[in-house]
Amino acid sequence: MTLPSTGDLAPCPHCGAKSRAEQSPALRWRCGVCGHPLVPSPPGVARSNGELPALVRTHRLRAMALGWTAAAFVLGAIAMMGAGVALLVWLASHLAGIVLAALAAASLAGTGASVRRARRRRGEARTALDEAWDAVAGEVLAARTGETGETGETTAPDLAKAMQTDEAHAEGMLARLSALGRVRVDVRDDAELAYRASEAAPGEDEPEAGAGPRMRAR
């Protein structure tokens, strides 16, 4: 998939650079200067950089995952060499063979544990990255609603274009924001879902905690 140009990205929240961002298979977008993950937004949107803690957490978790992956390779190599040497010395010394086999088994167990920890850290990094994107998506929707008033609506294609991502990802962000009650969902005449920032109108009660998003058909 080819994404739009990133010429109007906001400054990097990590280093403040305004250089062009780079696409990343794991991070979606990253700063072309410091390499840290960032989230695109359209020009003119007031940014609070509230996504920064989640982006920092993403970077740290991915570094931890890389460390555990390296540990898995090292321990796996030790396990293979230990097993091979144990077979070679078994005929000469059963005791040495048993010791080397035990070392290989322990290394193999460590390899499995390292792989599981690396997988867990990568999953946590993806979750943190989603949190960062959701935070920026909420600000983008709030800005678009504020510009166009009560009738301001944003569809998944609109958000995808504004944040330079694909429609499937935009739909996921809108669904999560809707589940949290941060946006309201309208069903348009063409049956397409449209979203706007969830701000209680005068005389309207705020949604209760944990309550689902309100939907109304037009």
Side-chain angles (χ1 to χ4, degrees), residues 38-60:
L38 52 75
V39 183
S41 66
V45 174
R47 294 287 295 274
S48 66
N49 284 339
E51 78 278 11
L52 182 57
L55 291 177
V56 171
R57 193 162 68 253
T58 298
H59 185 73
R60 290 177 177 174

Side-chain angles (χ1 to χ4, degrees), residues 17-218:
K18 295 183 179 180
S19 65
R20 292 175 62 85
E22 301 173 346
Q23 293 189 42
S24 168
L27 301 174
R28 299 192 185 101
W29 292 102
R30 65 183 180 185
C31 176
V33 175
C34 66
H36 286 60
L38 52 75
V39 183
S41 66
V45 174
R47 294 287 295 274
S48 66
N49 284 339
E51 78 278 11
L52 182 57
L55 291 177
V56 171
R57 193 162 68 253
T58 298
H59 185 73
R60 290 177 177 174
L61 288 168
R62 284 190 54 79
M64 293 171 65
L66 181 61
W68 284 115
T69 300
F73 276 110
V74 171
L75 291 173
I78 293 174
M80 293 178 62
M81 289 188 294
V85 175
L87 291 175
L88 291 176
V89 304
W90 173 259
L91 296 178
S93 172
H94 287 0
L95 178 60
I98 292 173
V99 171
L100 289 172
L103 174 63
S107 299
L108 185 61
T111 300
S114 297
V115 169
R116 290 190 296 272
R117 289 176 179 175
R119 186 181 300 117
R120 187 178 306 117
R121 295 297 176 266
R122 284 194 294 269
E124 293 172 350
R126 286 192 295 270
T127 299
L129 187 61
D130 285 340
E131 291 176 2
W133 278 77
D134 292 349
V136 176
E139 293 182 352
V140 171
L141 261 69
R144 291 175 66 94
T145 301
E147 290 173 357
T148 54
E150 176 65 21
T151 60
E153 295 177 340
T154 300
T155 63
D158 294 335
L159 186 64
K161 182 177 180 180
M163 298 185 66
Q164 304 189 39
T165 186
D166 57 87
E167 291 187 18
H169 181 212
E171 289 174 354
M173 288 189 289
L174 290 170
R176 288 190 295 271
L177 290 173
S178 178
L180 293 173
R182 295 180 56 187
V183 298
R184 294 187 179 183
V185 187
D186 295 332
V187 181
R188 303 197 315 192
D189 294 337
D190 57 2
E192 186 174 7
L193 296 180
Y195 301 79
R196 57 188 174 87
S198 180
E199 296 181 359
E204 187 177 18
D205 293 335
E206 291 287 346
E208 297 180 359
R214 299 183 181 180
M215 179 177 292
R216 58 186 177 85
R218 292 187 169 185

